[in-house]
Amino acid sequence: MTTEHPGFVLWMTGLSGAGKTTIALELEKHLKARGIKFERLDGDVVRESLTRDLGFSAEDRRKNIERVTFVAKLLSRNGVGCVCSFISPYQSVRDHVRENTTNFLELFVDAPLDTVIARDVKGMYKKAIAGEIPNFTGISDPFEAPANPDIHVRTDQQTVAESTQIIIEALESRGFIPVISNQ
Ligand code: ADP
C-alpha cells in the first residue's frame, strides 16, 4: 500500500565519501516501511547509465545534473519523492535543480576533508592526492559548500541513524511525508 503525499526532491550534496549513499539507503528503508512512493537516484549509478558518456569537467558535471534534473522534475511533479545523492559541487547547478523541480530540499551531507580522506571508501582520495585522478572534488576541483542548506547533517559527529532521523523530521515538518503517531 502507498501513502498519499506530495512529490519532493531531497537533494544530497557533499564530498565523495561524506555518506550520501549510506544515508540514502537507510532513508530508503524508512520510506519503504511508511509506504512512501519514492525513487532513489544515485550519482555512481546514474554515471553508469543515463550519463555514462560524461566525464568530470565543469561542463560535463553540469550536463550530468541537468539530465538528472529532468528525471527528478518528471517524478516530483507526479507525486514521487526523489532521494538524489550527487556530489554536485557547484551552487549554481544546485540552484538550477531547485528552480526546476517540485518541493526541493538541499541537504548538505557534511564531513570535513580530512575525515573523507581517512575513510577513503573507494581508494579514490589516495589516487587523487597522488595526481592520478584529475578534477577530483576536494583535491583538484572545488566543492562549494551550501551557504544556506535546508537540512545539514554532520556525518563526522552523528551516526547514520541520527542523520536519518533529522532528515525524516525535516520531511515531516514540511508535510512531504506523513507524521507517524506513536499513540
Ligand atoms: P558518498 O555516497 O557520499 O560518496 P558513501 O555513503 O559511499 O559516501 O560512503 C560513506 C562511508 O562513510 C561509508 O563507508 C560509511 O559506512 C561511512 N560512515 C561512517 N560514519 C558515517 C556516518 N555517520 N554517516 C554516513 N556514513 C558514515
Side-chain angles (χ1 to χ4, degrees), residues 110-168:
D110 189 3
L113 193 58
D114 56 0
T115 300
V116 294
I117 289 173
R119 285 181 187 160
D120 208 4
V121 194
K122 301 162 203 160
M124 304 272 275
Y125 281 100
K126 190 164 178 259
K127 287 187 186 160
I129 290 164
E132 291 165 24
I133 309 176
N135 302 122
F136 196 83
T137 301
I139 304 298
S140 46
D141 222 53
F143 177 75
E144 297 170 5
N148 197 14
D150 299 289
I151 314 170
H152 189 169
V153 295
R154 290 285 311 249
T155 69
D156 58 325
Q157 296 172 6
Q158 298 156 352
T159 64
V160 177
E162 286 167 344
S163 298
T164 304
Q165 189 55 31
I166 289 169
I167 298 162
I168 285 174

Short mmCIF file of all heavy atoms in Angstrom, two decimals, residues 110-168:
data_model
loop_
_atom_site.label_atom_id
_atom_site.label_comp_id
_atom_site.label_asym_id
_atom_site.label_seq_id
_atom_site.Cartn_x
_atom_site.Cartn_y
_atom_site.Cartn_z
N ASP A 110 27.61 16.58 5.29
CA ASP A 110 28.85 17.29 5.58
C ASP A 110 29.82 16.42 6.37
O ASP A 110 29.46 15.86 7.41
CB ASP A 110 28.45 18.54 6.39
CG ASP A 110 29.59 19.51 6.61
OD1 ASP A 110 30.68 19.27 6.08
OD2 ASP A 110 29.35 20.52 7.31
N ALA A 111 31.02 16.30 5.86
CA ALA A 111 32.13 15.69 6.60
C ALA A 111 33.38 16.42 6.15
O ALA A 111 33.54 16.70 4.95
CB ALA A 111 32.24 14.20 6.31
N PRO A 112 34.27 16.78 7.08
CA PRO A 112 35.48 17.51 6.68
C PRO A 112 36.35 16.66 5.74
O PRO A 112 36.29 15.43 5.76
CB PRO A 112 36.21 17.76 8.00
CG PRO A 112 35.28 17.39 9.08
CD PRO A 112 34.23 16.51 8.51
N LEU A 113 37.16 17.38 4.98
CA LEU A 113 38.01 16.70 4.00
C LEU A 113 38.92 15.67 4.67
O LEU A 113 39.09 14.55 4.15
CB LEU A 113 38.85 17.75 3.26
CG LEU A 113 39.59 17.30 2.01
CD1 LEU A 113 38.65 16.71 0.97
CD2 LEU A 113 40.38 18.46 1.40
N ASP A 114 39.48 15.99 5.84
CA ASP A 114 40.38 15.01 6.47
C ASP A 114 39.64 13.73 6.87
O ASP A 114 40.20 12.63 6.84
CB ASP A 114 41.18 15.61 7.65
CG ASP A 114 40.31 16.23 8.72
OD1 ASP A 114 39.07 16.20 8.57
OD2 ASP A 114 40.86 16.73 9.72
N THR A 115 38.35 13.86 7.20
CA THR A 115 37.55 12.67 7.53
C THR A 115 37.34 11.79 6.30
O THR A 115 37.51 10.56 6.36
CB THR A 115 36.17 13.09 8.11
OG1 THR A 115 36.39 13.87 9.28
CG2 THR A 115 35.31 11.88 8.44
N VAL A 116 36.95 12.41 5.19
CA VAL A 116 36.68 11.58 3.99
C VAL A 116 37.98 11.00 3.42
O VAL A 116 37.98 9.90 2.87
CB VAL A 116 35.86 12.34 2.91
CG1 VAL A 116 34.47 12.64 3.42
CG2 VAL A 116 36.53 13.60 2.42
N ILE A 117 39.08 11.73 3.61
CA ILE A 117 40.38 11.18 3.16
C ILE A 117 40.73 9.97 4.03
O ILE A 117 41.20 8.94 3.53
CB ILE A 117 41.48 12.26 3.22
CG1 ILE A 117 41.25 13.29 2.11
CG2 ILE A 117 42.88 11.63 3.06
CD1 ILE A 117 42.18 14.50 2.16
N ALA A 118 40.47 10.07 5.33
CA ALA A 118 40.76 8.95 6.24
C ALA A 118 39.87 7.75 5.91
O ALA A 118 40.31 6.60 5.95
CB ALA A 118 40.57 9.40 7.68
N ARG A 119 38.58 8.02 5.56
CA ARG A 119 37.68 6.91 5.20
C ARG A 119 38.12 6.28 3.89
O ARG A 119 38.17 5.07 3.75
CB ARG A 119 36.25 7.43 5.03
CG ARG A 119 35.54 7.76 6.31
CD ARG A 119 34.13 8.23 6.01
NE ARG A 119 33.46 8.72 7.22
CZ ARG A 119 32.40 9.52 7.22
NH1 ARG A 119 31.89 9.93 6.09
NH2 ARG A 119 31.87 9.91 8.36
N ASP A 120 38.38 7.11 2.93
CA ASP A 120 38.75 6.73 1.55
C ASP A 120 38.08 5.42 1.10
O ASP A 120 38.75 4.46 0.72
CB ASP A 120 40.28 6.64 1.39
CG ASP A 120 40.69 6.94 -0.07
OD1 ASP A 120 39.80 7.27 -0.89
OD2 ASP A 120 41.89 6.82 -0.37
N VAL A 121 36.75 5.45 1.12
CA VAL A 121 35.93 4.27 0.86
C VAL A 121 36.32 3.53 -0.41
O VAL A 121 36.41 2.31 -0.44
CB VAL A 121 34.44 4.70 0.73
CG1 VAL A 121 33.53 3.49 0.81
CG2 VAL A 121 34.07 5.73 1.77
N LYS A 122 36.56 4.30 -1.46
CA LYS A 122 36.82 3.65 -2.76
C LYS A 122 38.29 3.77 -3.18
O LYS A 122 38.63 3.45 -4.32
CB LYS A 122 35.92 4.28 -3.84
CG LYS A 122 34.43 4.13 -3.53
CD LYS A 122 33.59 5.12 -4.35
CE LYS A 122 32.26 5.36 -3.67
NZ LYS A 122 31.60 6.60 -4.11
N GLY A 123 39.13 4.24 -2.27
CA GLY A 123 40.56 4.38 -2.60
C GLY A 123 40.84 5.50 -3.58
O GLY A 123 41.95 5.61 -4.13
N MET A 124 39.84 6.37 -3.77
CA MET A 124 39.98 7.42 -4.79
C MET A 124 40.82 8.59 -4.31
O MET A 124 41.54 9.21 -5.10
CB MET A 124 38.59 7.93 -5.19
CG MET A 124 37.65 6.87 -5.66
SD MET A 124 37.80 6.60 -7.41
CE MET A 124 36.72 7.88 -8.00
N TYR A 125 40.71 8.92 -3.00
CA TYR A 125 41.47 10.08 -2.50
C TYR A 125 42.98 9.83 -2.61
O TYR A 125 43.74 10.72 -2.95
CB TYR A 125 41.06 10.40 -1.05
CG TYR A 125 39.74 11.16 -0.99
CD1 TYR A 125 38.56 10.50 -0.69
CD2 TYR A 125 39.68 12.52 -1.27
CE1 TYR A 125 37.34 11.18 -0.65
CE2 TYR A 125 38.47 13.21 -1.24
CZ TYR A 125 37.31 12.53 -0.93
OH TYR A 125 36.13 13.22 -0.91
N LYS A 126 43.37 8.60 -2.31
CA LYS A 126 44.80 8.26 -2.38
C LYS A 126 45.31 8.54 -3.80
O LYS A 126 46.35 9.16 -4.00
CB LYS A 126 44.98 6.79 -2.01
CG LYS A 126 46.40 6.36 -1.82
CD LYS A 126 46.46 5.02 -1.08
CE LYS A 126 47.88 4.56 -0.93
NZ LYS A 126 48.28 3.53 -1.89
N LYS A 127 44.52 8.07 -4.76
CA LYS A 127 44.91 8.27 -6.16
C LYS A 127 44.85 9.76 -6.54
O LYS A 127 45.73 10.25 -7.25
CB LYS A 127 43.97 7.49 -7.08
CG LYS A 127 44.19 5.99 -7.04
CD LYS A 127 43.33 5.32 -8.09
CE LYS A 127 43.43 3.80 -7.95
NZ LYS A 127 42.32 3.11 -8.57
N ALA A 128 43.81 10.45 -6.07
CA ALA A 128 43.66 11.87 -6.43
C ALA A 128 44.82 12.68 -5.85
O ALA A 128 45.38 13.55 -6.52
CB ALA A 128 42.32 12.39 -5.91
N ILE A 129 45.19 12.37 -4.60
CA ILE A 129 46.29 13.10 -3.95
C ILE A 129 47.61 12.81 -4.68
O ILE A 129 48.47 13.67 -4.80
CB ILE A 129 46.37 12.73 -2.44
CG1 ILE A 129 45.16 13.33 -1.72
CG2 ILE A 129 47.66 13.22 -1.80
CD1 ILE A 129 44.88 12.78 -0.34
N ALA A 130 47.72 11.61 -5.21
CA ALA A 130 48.93 11.24 -5.97
C ALA A 130 48.91 11.83 -7.39
O ALA A 130 49.83 11.61 -8.18
CB ALA A 130 49.05 9.72 -6.03
N GLY A 131 47.83 12.55 -7.69
CA GLY A 131 47.74 13.20 -9.01
C GLY A 131 47.28 12.28 -10.12
O GLY A 131 47.38 12.60 -11.30
N GLU A 132 46.72 11.13 -9.72
CA GLU A 132 46.30 10.16 -10.75
C GLU A 132 44.88 10.38 -11.24
O GLU A 132 44.47 9.79 -12.24
CB GLU A 132 46.44 8.72 -10.19
CG GLU A 132 47.88 8.31 -9.98
CD GLU A 132 48.01 7.05 -9.12
OE1 GLU A 132 47.05 6.26 -9.05
OE2 GLU A 132 49.07 6.89 -8.49
N ILE A 133 44.09 11.19 -10.51
CA ILE A 133 42.71 11.48 -10.95
C ILE A 133 42.53 12.98 -11.06
O ILE A 133 42.56 13.69 -10.05
CB ILE A 133 41.66 10.92 -9.95
CG1 ILE A 133 41.91 9.45 -9.63
CG2 ILE A 133 40.24 11.11 -10.50
CD1 ILE A 133 40.97 8.87 -8.59
N PRO A 134 42.39 13.49 -12.29
CA PRO A 134 42.17 14.94 -12.43
C PRO A 134 40.75 15.30 -12.04
O PRO A 134 39.86 14.43 -11.99
CB PRO A 134 42.41 15.19 -13.93
CG PRO A 134 42.13 13.87 -14.59
CD PRO A 134 42.39 12.79 -13.58
N ASN A 135 40.51 16.56 -11.77
CA ASN A 135 39.17 17.09 -11.46
C ASN A 135 38.50 16.32 -10.33
O ASN A 135 37.30 16.02 -10.39
CB ASN A 135 38.24 17.03 -12.69
CG ASN A 135 38.79 17.79 -13.87
OD1 ASN A 135 38.99 17.25 -14.95
ND2 ASN A 135 39.04 19.06 -13.67
N PHE A 136 39.26 15.98 -9.29
CA PHE A 136 38.65 15.25 -8.18
C PHE A 136 38.20 16.24 -7.11
O PHE A 136 39.01 16.98 -6.53
CB PHE A 136 39.63 14.21 -7.60
CG PHE A 136 38.93 13.20 -6.73
CD1 PHE A 136 38.30 12.11 -7.31
CD2 PHE A 136 38.86 13.36 -5.36
CE1 PHE A 136 37.61 11.18 -6.53
CE2 PHE A 136 38.17 12.44 -4.56
CZ PHE A 136 37.56 11.36 -5.15
N THR A 137 36.92 16.23 -6.84
CA THR A 137 36.32 17.22 -5.92
C THR A 137 36.99 17.18 -4.55
O THR A 137 37.13 16.12 -3.95
CB THR A 137 34.81 16.96 -5.77
OG1 THR A 137 34.21 17.06 -7.06
CG2 THR A 137 34.16 17.97 -4.82
N GLY A 138 37.39 18.35 -4.08
CA GLY A 138 38.02 18.48 -2.76
C GLY A 138 39.53 18.42 -2.84
O GLY A 138 40.22 18.88 -1.93
N ILE A 139 40.07 17.83 -3.92
CA ILE A 139 41.52 17.71 -4.06
C ILE A 139 42.00 18.59 -5.22
O ILE A 139 42.82 19.48 -5.02
CB ILE A 139 41.94 16.23 -4.31
CG1 ILE A 139 41.41 15.33 -3.20
CG2 ILE A 139 43.47 16.12 -4.47
CD1 ILE A 139 41.94 15.63 -1.80
N SER A 140 41.47 18.35 -6.39
CA SER A 140 41.92 19.11 -7.56
C SER A 140 40.75 19.79 -8.27
O SER A 140 40.86 20.18 -9.42
CB SER A 140 42.65 18.18 -8.53
OG SER A 140 41.91 16.97 -8.71
N ASP A 141 39.62 19.90 -7.58
CA ASP A 141 38.43 20.55 -8.12
C ASP A 141 37.66 21.10 -6.92
O ASP A 141 37.70 20.51 -5.83
CB ASP A 141 37.57 19.51 -8.87
CG ASP A 141 37.02 20.08 -10.17
OD1 ASP A 141 37.82 20.59 -10.99
OD2 ASP A 141 35.79 20.03 -10.37
N PRO A 142 36.98 22.22 -7.11
CA PRO A 142 36.33 22.85 -5.95
C PRO A 142 35.06 22.15 -5.48
O PRO A 142 34.39 21.48 -6.27
CB PRO A 142 35.97 24.25 -6.46
CG PRO A 142 35.87 24.10 -7.94
CD PRO A 142 36.81 23.00 -8.34
N PHE A 143 34.75 22.31 -4.20
CA PHE A 143 33.43 21.95 -3.69
C PHE A 143 32.85 23.20 -3.03
O PHE A 143 33.42 23.71 -2.06
CB PHE A 143 33.48 20.80 -2.67
CG PHE A 143 32.11 20.50 -2.10
CD1 PHE A 143 31.17 19.83 -2.86
CD2 PHE A 143 31.74 20.94 -0.83
CE1 PHE A 143 29.89 19.59 -2.38
CE2 PHE A 143 30.46 20.70 -0.34
CZ PHE A 143 29.53 20.02 -1.12
N GLU A 144 31.77 23.70 -3.57
CA GLU A 144 31.13 24.87 -3.00
C GLU A 144 30.10 24.40 -1.97
O GLU A 144 29.02 23.93 -2.32
CB GLU A 144 30.44 25.69 -4.10
CG GLU A 144 31.43 26.24 -5.13
CD GLU A 144 30.75 26.87 -6.35
OE1 GLU A 144 29.51 26.97 -6.39
OE2 GLU A 144 31.50 27.23 -7.28
N ALA A 145 30.48 24.49 -0.70
CA ALA A 145 29.56 24.05 0.36
C ALA A 145 28.30 24.91 0.32
O ALA A 145 28.39 26.12 0.08
CB ALA A 145 30.24 24.18 1.71
N PRO A 146 27.13 24.32 0.53
CA PRO A 146 25.90 25.10 0.53
C PRO A 146 25.96 26.20 1.59
O PRO A 146 26.32 25.94 2.74
CB PRO A 146 24.81 24.09 0.88
CG PRO A 146 25.39 22.76 0.60
CD PRO A 146 26.88 22.89 0.79
N ALA A 147 25.63 27.42 1.19
CA ALA A 147 25.67 28.55 2.12
C ALA A 147 24.49 28.47 3.08
O ALA A 147 24.60 28.85 4.24
CB ALA A 147 25.65 29.85 1.34
N ASN A 148 23.38 27.97 2.58
CA ASN A 148 22.15 28.01 3.37
C ASN A 148 21.31 26.76 3.10
O ASN A 148 20.20 26.87 2.56
CB ASN A 148 21.39 29.29 2.97
CG ASN A 148 20.35 29.66 3.97
OD1 ASN A 148 20.36 29.13 5.09
ND2 ASN A 148 19.43 30.51 3.57
N PRO A 149 21.84 25.58 3.45
CA PRO A 149 21.10 24.35 3.11
C PRO A 149 19.80 24.23 3.89
O PRO A 149 19.70 24.75 5.00
CB PRO A 149 22.08 23.23 3.52
CG PRO A 149 22.93 23.85 4.58
CD PRO A 149 23.05 25.31 4.24
N ASP A 150 18.82 23.55 3.32
CA ASP A 150 17.55 23.33 4.03
C ASP A 150 17.76 22.36 5.19
O ASP A 150 17.09 22.46 6.22
CB ASP A 150 16.50 22.77 3.06
CG ASP A 150 16.23 23.73 1.92
OD1 ASP A 150 15.60 24.77 2.18
OD2 ASP A 150 16.66 23.46 0.79
N ILE A 151 18.65 21.39 4.99
CA ILE A 151 18.97 20.41 6.04
C ILE A 151 20.49 20.24 6.04
O ILE A 151 21.12 20.21 4.97
CB ILE A 151 18.32 19.04 5.76
CG1 ILE A 151 16.85 19.18 5.35
CG2 ILE A 151 18.43 18.12 6.99
CD1 ILE A 151 16.23 17.88 4.84
N HIS A 152 21.07 20.09 7.23
CA HIS A 152 22.53 19.96 7.36
C HIS A 152 22.82 18.79 8.31
O HIS A 152 22.41 18.83 9.46
CB HIS A 152 23.09 21.27 7.91
CG HIS A 152 24.57 21.37 7.88
ND1 HIS A 152 25.24 22.54 8.14
CD2 HIS A 152 25.54 20.45 7.63
CE1 HIS A 152 26.55 22.34 8.06
NE2 HIS A 152 26.76 21.08 7.76
N VAL A 153 23.47 17.76 7.81
CA VAL A 153 23.87 16.68 8.72
C VAL A 153 25.40 16.59 8.72
O VAL A 153 26.06 16.88 7.73
CB VAL A 153 23.23 15.31 8.34
CG1 VAL A 153 21.71 15.36 8.51
CG2 VAL A 153 23.61 14.85 6.95
N ARG A 154 25.95 16.22 9.87
CA ARG A 154 27.41 16.14 10.06
C ARG A 154 27.78 14.69 10.32
O ARG A 154 27.63 14.20 11.43
CB ARG A 154 27.81 17.00 11.27
CG ARG A 154 27.69 18.50 11.09
CD ARG A 154 28.81 19.06 10.23
NE ARG A 154 30.14 18.64 10.61
CZ ARG A 154 31.05 19.43 11.16
NH1 ARG A 154 30.78 20.70 11.41
NH2 ARG A 154 32.26 18.97 11.44
N THR A 155 28.28 14.01 9.30
CA THR A 155 28.49 12.57 9.46
C THR A 155 29.76 12.24 10.24
O THR A 155 29.98 11.09 10.59
CB THR A 155 28.52 11.84 8.09
OG1 THR A 155 29.71 12.21 7.39
CG2 THR A 155 27.30 12.15 7.27
N ASP A 156 30.59 13.25 10.55
CA ASP A 156 31.75 13.01 11.43
C ASP A 156 31.33 13.11 12.89
O ASP A 156 32.10 12.73 13.77
CB ASP A 156 32.88 14.00 11.12
CG ASP A 156 32.45 15.44 11.28
OD1 ASP A 156 31.27 15.76 10.98
OD2 ASP A 156 33.28 16.27 11.71
N GLN A 157 30.12 13.62 13.13
CA GLN A 157 29.67 13.84 14.51
C GLN A 157 28.41 13.05 14.86
O GLN A 157 28.07 12.91 16.02
CB GLN A 157 29.40 15.34 14.75
CG GLN A 157 30.63 16.19 14.61
CD GLN A 157 30.31 17.69 14.66
OE1 GLN A 157 29.18 18.09 14.92
NE2 GLN A 157 31.31 18.50 14.39
N GLN A 158 27.67 12.63 13.84
CA GLN A 158 26.41 11.92 14.07
C GLN A 158 26.52 10.50 13.53
O GLN A 158 27.29 10.24 12.60
CB GLN A 158 25.26 12.62 13.31
CG GLN A 158 25.00 14.04 13.74
CD GLN A 158 24.31 14.86 12.64
OE1 GLN A 158 24.15 14.43 11.51
NE2 GLN A 158 23.92 16.07 13.00
N THR A 159 25.69 9.61 14.07
CA THR A 159 25.59 8.27 13.48
C THR A 159 24.68 8.35 12.26
O THR A 159 23.96 9.34 12.07
CB THR A 159 24.98 7.28 14.49
OG1 THR A 159 23.64 7.70 14.76
CG2 THR A 159 25.78 7.21 15.78
N VAL A 160 24.68 7.29 11.47
CA VAL A 160 23.80 7.22 10.29
C VAL A 160 22.35 7.36 10.76
O VAL A 160 21.55 8.08 10.16
CB VAL A 160 24.00 5.89 9.53
CG1 VAL A 160 23.04 5.78 8.36
CG2 VAL A 160 25.44 5.76 9.04
N ALA A 161 22.02 6.68 11.86
CA ALA A 161 20.65 6.72 12.39
C ALA A 161 20.27 8.14 12.81
O ALA A 161 19.15 8.60 12.55
CB ALA A 161 20.50 5.76 13.57
N GLU A 162 21.19 8.85 13.44
CA GLU A 162 20.89 10.23 13.87
C GLU A 162 20.67 11.15 12.68
O GLU A 162 19.72 11.94 12.65
CB GLU A 162 22.04 10.77 14.75
CG GLU A 162 22.05 10.18 16.15
CD GLU A 162 23.34 10.47 16.93
OE1 GLU A 162 24.36 10.86 16.31
OE2 GLU A 162 23.33 10.27 18.15
N SER A 163 21.53 11.06 11.69
CA SER A 163 21.37 11.90 10.49
C SER A 163 20.04 11.58 9.81
O SER A 163 19.32 12.48 9.38
CB SER A 163 22.52 11.65 9.50
OG SER A 163 23.74 12.01 10.06
N THR A 164 19.72 10.29 9.72
CA THR A 164 18.48 9.87 9.05
C THR A 164 17.27 10.45 9.78
O THR A 164 16.32 10.92 9.15
CB THR A 164 18.42 8.33 8.99
OG1 THR A 164 19.59 7.87 8.34
CG2 THR A 164 17.20 7.85 8.21
N GLN A 165 17.31 10.42 11.10
CA GLN A 165 16.19 10.94 11.90
C GLN A 165 15.99 12.44 11.66
O GLN A 165 14.86 12.91 11.52
CB GLN A 165 16.46 10.66 13.39
CG GLN A 165 15.30 10.95 14.31
CD GLN A 165 14.00 10.23 13.91
OE1 GLN A 165 14.04 9.14 13.37
NE2 GLN A 165 12.87 10.88 14.15
N ILE A 166 17.08 13.17 11.56
CA ILE A 166 17.00 14.62 11.29
C ILE A 166 16.30 14.86 9.94
O ILE A 166 15.44 15.73 9.80
CB ILE A 166 18.42 15.25 11.29
CG1 ILE A 166 18.97 15.28 12.72
CG2 ILE A 166 18.43 16.64 10.66
CD1 ILE A 166 20.45 15.61 12.81
N ILE A 167 16.65 14.04 8.97
CA ILE A 167 16.07 14.20 7.62
C ILE A 167 14.58 13.84 7.63
O ILE A 167 13.76 14.56 7.06
CB ILE A 167 16.85 13.31 6.61
CG1 ILE A 167 18.31 13.77 6.55
CG2 ILE A 167 16.20 13.36 5.24
CD1 ILE A 167 19.26 12.75 5.95
N ILE A 168 14.24 12.77 8.30
CA ILE A 168 12.83 12.36 8.36
C ILE A 168 12.00 13.46 9.03
O ILE A 168 10.92 13.82 8.54
CB ILE A 168 12.70 11.02 9.12
CG1 ILE A 168 13.18 9.90 8.20
CG2 ILE A 168 11.25 10.77 9.57
CD1 ILE A 168 13.25 8.55 8.83
#
